[in-house]
Amino acid sequence: MFRFVIRSSISLAAIAAAAPVFAEEIPAYPTVTDDDREIIVTATRAEVALDHTPASITVLDKAAIDRSQDIGATELLLRTPGVTISRNGGYGTSTSLRIRGAESDHTVVVIDGVKLNDPASAGGGYNFANLLVGDIDRIEVLRGPQSILWGSQAIGGVVNIVTAEPHNELEGSFDVEAGSRATVSARAALGGKNGPLRWRIGGQTFTTDGISAVAPAFGGEEKDGYRNDSITGRAQIALTDNLEVDLRGYHSSARVGFDSTRGDSEDYGLNSETLGYVGVNFALLEGRFRNRLAYSRTETERDNFNPTRERPQSFESEGINTRWEYQGSFDLTRGIAAIFGVENERARFLSRSPSASLATPVPAFATGETEATSAYGQVSVEPIDGLTIDGGIRYDDHSRYGGQTLLAVGGVWRLPTGTILRASYGEGFKAPTLYQLYSDYGNLALDPEDAHGWEAGVEQHLFTRKLTLAATWFDRTTTNQIIYNSCPATSTDPLCLVPGSTTEQRWGFYSNVSRGEAHGIEATAALHFGKLTLDGNYSWIVAEDRSPGTANFGNWLPRRPRNAANASVSYALPFGLDLGAAVRWSGSSFDDAANTNRLDAYTLVDLRAEYRISDSVSLFGRAENLFDEEYMTAYRYGTLGRSFYAGLRGRF
């Protein structure tokens, strides 16, 4: 069977070709100013020039990340087109990121080539609350269905995180800053190249007194603090000219206070994320045939406590993913290249919620496990100068849902006039999560979610790339969408009974009842004129519930503003002082599926400055939410008000 899959994947990929990416100028503070540099992206699972990729991608490089001065990766991502977030309070509280109106768990997060998600969470996705900037060297935001290359869950898109690699015999960096609410952040990294060894290790610690998770308007008064410690490391050992061992690791440990649904409480949560990777890279045929064999493992542990309870621990869970993979890339001839691979992924979880009463026995863990074996192929062809056509196919054999075949195709045409035309089509699917199947709210009759989407865009470079204008239209439909259904005390629905019981009711269950549709426009503009940089982006996203025959038909999907915009200006003065300002505007949205709780529009203004003391050391400072705007991204939950930060940065 597998031989058939692999042969079919590679041969069909040569005809159809895969779900790639659209180059856009980077909005707000994160702006690439070196216009003559060819930007290379890796979210396509191979190094590809950005101008050769047909679908949509935004790249934030190290210079852009430093310039933004943001502590968390979420704030960086929020400045990019098509991205919205909702957060249940201040730093560290549950944070959901949505790309083009898709569900938050429809985004795949990749750190140094390894998917990082929590199979024990309800949607099986990634909580962006604990992703700090740390030693990140580059962030790539790939929008649209991307399951061809990244498998189940990549319906909305992919966030590809790449940590720094060494370039010198010995190098390092550090950032130290402090500010409002007793916030302190310190980051350092060290690395080097010594003979056959390249290595780098980095760490960050962050702490803040925070704000009340529940907004003051709803009675929130006490502060919910947050602490996060993280470390990343990587090493490559060249055994021969064509053979290399690759080791990568990441660990994050966090503690955050949060409030109950009724108001202030002493609840807090502990979160631990660990990622490990070992791979072997080897090249054949004078480097034209590159191969990678790898094993990776991710583990996420979450525990909640309330010291006022008779039994303090209120929740515990663990989610583990293990993956074996082979990937090959082959430059067949000039203008024709192929990527193909085989993967085996196993996910398992355990979860339970002990009662507050010591008289009630601690329940057994809800547990579950799934396995998926996949093969994929993608071919990129350049039939004439300036035109690239990509296409691909993927086959997944899921232990519970059997076979699934997905296709994608796209093209990009680079014209002599500085015009770039792009179009792509991609398919995606997401199997029900272990939590949705096997938890106390599980439903074993669930079907996978399916999606398909397309986009078309144009990008125009003028005045030797000093001015760039771009616009993209996208359209996506998701069927069999899984939602949570609450169970009233008087419900007679059989699914409101605990599985295996004829009398014991449960709070709710998951079911396939939704159909979601999203379409819209992403527009960007950037001007680089000497020391002055202006840029911005605007997103119009119509994300609606289109479930036939339901009360919510035509309603906005929750927490998805239809309109959002970012703009920034920066200027570099000749004596080493850089000044900048950024504005973010978000239109109104609704917090619930019934569209009864409205979240008002808001505008946030930030200022920043950086002074270069020397070529390697800088002082920096910023003011966020300068006008102390009151707003909510999730109903009843607080957000950060006016904040000031200052720090010292070194690169050597």
Side-chain angles (χ1 to χ4, degrees):
M1 177 62 181
F2 240 127
R3 292 177 182 172
F4 169 79
V5 170
I6 296 172
R7 290 197 194 107
S8 300
S9 298
I10 298 172
S11 60
L12 287 176
I15 309 171
V21 255
F22 172 148
E24 296 178 5
E25 293 299 324
I26 297 165
Y29 285 143
T31 303
V32 171
T33 56
D34 184 2
D35 299 314
D36 296 327
R37 182 188 61 183
E38 184 177 52
I39 300 174
I40 303 297
V41 297
T42 59
T44 53
R45 302 198 73 159
E47 292 188 351
V48 179
L50 193 54
D51 285 351
H52 290 245
T53 55
S56 295
I57 195 168
T58 296
V59 180
L60 307 176
D61 65 7
K62 185 59 176 176
I65 294 170
D66 284 349
R67 192 159 40 247
S68 76
Q69 300 183 18
D70 288 319
I71 296 172
T74 303
E75 285 68 34
L76 277 163
L77 294 167
L78 190 55
R79 303 181 194 275
T80 63
V83 174
T84 59
I85 70 161
S86 57
R87 176 182 279 159
N88 294 352
Y91 281 116
T93 56
S94 180
T95 303
S96 299
L97 181 141
R98 299 176 178 87
I99 299 178
R100 290 181 172 175
E103 295 296 326
S104 60
D105 50 49
H106 288 168
T107 297
V108 164
V109 176
V110 181
I111 298 180
D112 287 336
V114 181
K115 289 171 60 176
L116 182 59
N117 67 305
D118 180 10
S121 66
Y126 180 74
N127 179 6
F128 280 83
N130 300 305
L131 184 59
L132 303 181
V133 169
D135 201 31
I136 293 175
D137 184 66
R138 189 173 71 254
I139 302 176
E140 300 169 357
V141 185
L142 180 60
R143 296 185 286 278
Q146 305 297 333
S147 287
I148 297 296
L149 294 176
W150 294 107
S152 177
Q153 196 176 338
I155 289 175
V158 175
V159 175
N160 185 40
I161 307 290
V162 182
T163 60
E165 293 189 61
H167 299 284
N168 303 301
E169 184 175 341
L170 183 65
E171 62 185 35
S173 63
F174 70 86
D175 298 81
V176 180
E177 65 178 281
S180 300
R181 303 172 198 88
T183 299
V184 178
S185 176
R187 187 200 70 81
L190 190 67
K193 297 170 65 175
N194 310 98
L197 173 65
R198 292 180 295 156
W199 63 277
R200 186 173 175 103
I201 186 168
Q204 181 171 6
T205 182
F206 173 82
T207 182
T208 180
D209 285 351
I211 61 174
S212 173
V214 170
F218 294 88
E221 296 180 356
E222 54 85 29
K223 294 181 178 179
D224 293 299
Y226 175 59
R227 185 193 73 240
N228 183 304
D229 300 303
S230 62
I231 186 170
T232 60
R234 62 190 307 165
Q236 292 89 35
I237 306 170
L239 302 179
T240 68
D241 290 342
N242 298 319
L243 178 63
E244 178 185 76
V245 176
D246 190 357
L247 306 173
R248 309 170 193 171
Y250 165 79
H251 177 74
S252 170
S253 178
R255 183 190 191 278
V256 62
F258 59 91
D259 292 326
S260 72
T261 56
R262 298 180 299 275
D264 284 344
S265 71
E266 296 186 33
D267 290 274
Y268 67 91
L270 303 179
N271 187 92
S272 171
E273 299 171 353
T274 304
L275 175 156
Y277 171 97
V278 56
V280 177
N281 307 317
F282 59 97
L284 304 171
L285 302 178
E286 299 180 336
R288 292 172 52 218
F289 185 17
R290 297 168 296 280
N291 302 269
R292 179 170 62 88
L293 288 168
Y295 170 79
S296 61
R297 185 180 191 272
T298 65
E299 181 176 348
T300 304
E301 296 181 352
R302 293 179 293 129
D303 299 277
N304 294 344
F305 300 86
N306 185 326
T308 66
R309 287 174 30 129
E310 187 179 12
R311 176 182 283 125
Q313 186 164 19
S314 58
F315 177 76
E316 78 180 290
S317 77
E318 181 182 57
I320 297 174
N321 274 331
T322 58
R323 172 192 292 261
W324 290 94
E325 59 181 316
Y326 162 77
Q327 179 178 306
S329 58
F330 188 26
D331 299 330
L332 282 79
T333 63
R334 187 180 183 279
I336 303 178
I339 300 173
F340 42 88
V342 179
E343 303 171 342
N344 177 268
E345 181 176 349
R346 295 188 180 189
R348 57 188 177 91
F349 95 115
L350 56 84
S351 174
R352 66 181 174 188
S353 300
S355 169
S357 173
L358 291 175
T360 303
V362 175
F365 283 108
T367 63
E369 184 173 338
T370 60
E371 180 180 2
T373 302
S374 312
Y376 61 90
Q378 172 180 306
V379 167
S380 178
V381 180
E382 190 169 349
I384 59 174
D385 287 344
L387 176 63
T388 301
I389 300 174
D390 289 353
I393 184 171
R394 183 184 185 92
Y395 179 84
D396 287 296
D397 184 10
H398 195 278
S399 59
R400 184 173 183 85
Y401 295 100
Q404 177 84 31
T405 302
L406 302 171
L407 300 172
V409 63
V412 55
W413 193 7
R414 302 171 297 282
L415 302 175
T417 57
T419 306
I420 300 176
L421 303 176
R422 292 178 166 88
S424 64
Y425 167 84
E427 299 174 343
F429 89 103
K430 180 175 181 290
T433 68
L434 293 171
Y435 192 90
Q436 290 166 345
L437 290 169
Y438 300 109
S439 73
D440 293 340
Y441 314 102
N443 179 1
L444 294 176
L446 290 174
D447 292 321
E449 298 173 308
D450 295 293
H452 61 270
W454 64 274
E455 63 178 81
V458 57
E459 180 177 343
Q460 182 65 55
H461 297 280
L462 300 168
F463 310 117
T464 62
R465 287 185 174 251
K466 289 181 172 60
L467 175 63
T468 299
L469 305 171
T472 302
W473 171 271
F474 66 88
D475 190 291
R476 185 191 65 254
T477 299
T478 305
T479 56
N480 282 331
Q481 197 161 315
I482 298 171
I483 66 169
Y484 176 77
N485 301 266
S486 297
C487 287
T490 57
S491 175
T492 58
D493 191 327
L495 287 174
C496 283
L497 296 175
V498 173
S501 171
T502 58
T503 57
E504 185 180 358
Q505 282 206 321
R506 54 181 177 173
W507 294 103
F509 61 93
Y510 291 94
S511 66
N512 296 101
V513 297
S514 286
R515 173 188 175 96
E517 295 183 4
H519 62 265
I521 295 173
E522 296 163 349
T524 65
L527 173 65
H528 307 302
F529 186 75
K531 301 297 184 179
L532 176 68
T533 298
L534 296 167
D535 58 32
N537 63 73
Y538 167 74
S539 301
W540 176 63
I541 302 172
V542 178
E544 295 181 337
D545 187 333
R546 308 298 293 180
S547 305
T550 66
N552 294 332
F553 181 84
N555 284 2
W556 294 19
L557 293 176
R559 302 179 180 178
R560 294 158 174 83
R562 287 207 166 167
N563 299 277
N566 294 277
S568 78
V569 57
S570 63
Y571 187 77
L573 295 167
F575 54 88
L577 178 63
D578 295 344
L579 300 175
V583 178
R584 172 166 178 78
W585 173 74
S586 175
S588 61
S589 61
F590 292 98
D591 187 73
D592 58 336
N595 287 185
T596 56
N597 292 327
R598 185 182 183 88
L599 303 175
D600 293 334
Y602 60 88
T603 302
L604 304 180
V605 178
D606 301 337
L607 300 178
R608 61 102 178 164
E610 181 172 352
Y611 178 68
R612 292 184 296 280
I613 299 174
S614 68
D615 290 340
S616 56
V617 179
S618 300
L619 289 171
F620 63 88
R622 68 187 181 281
E624 297 180 350
N625 192 3
L626 183 65
F627 298 107
D628 204 23
E629 177 93 347
E630 293 185 6
Y631 66 102
M632 291 186 292
T633 61
Y635 188 67
R636 295 183 70 254
Y637 290 104
T639 52
L640 295 173
R642 185 187 295 115
S643 307
F644 299 96
Y645 305 91
L648 182 69
R649 169 180 296 137
R651 303 286 183 266
F652 59 90

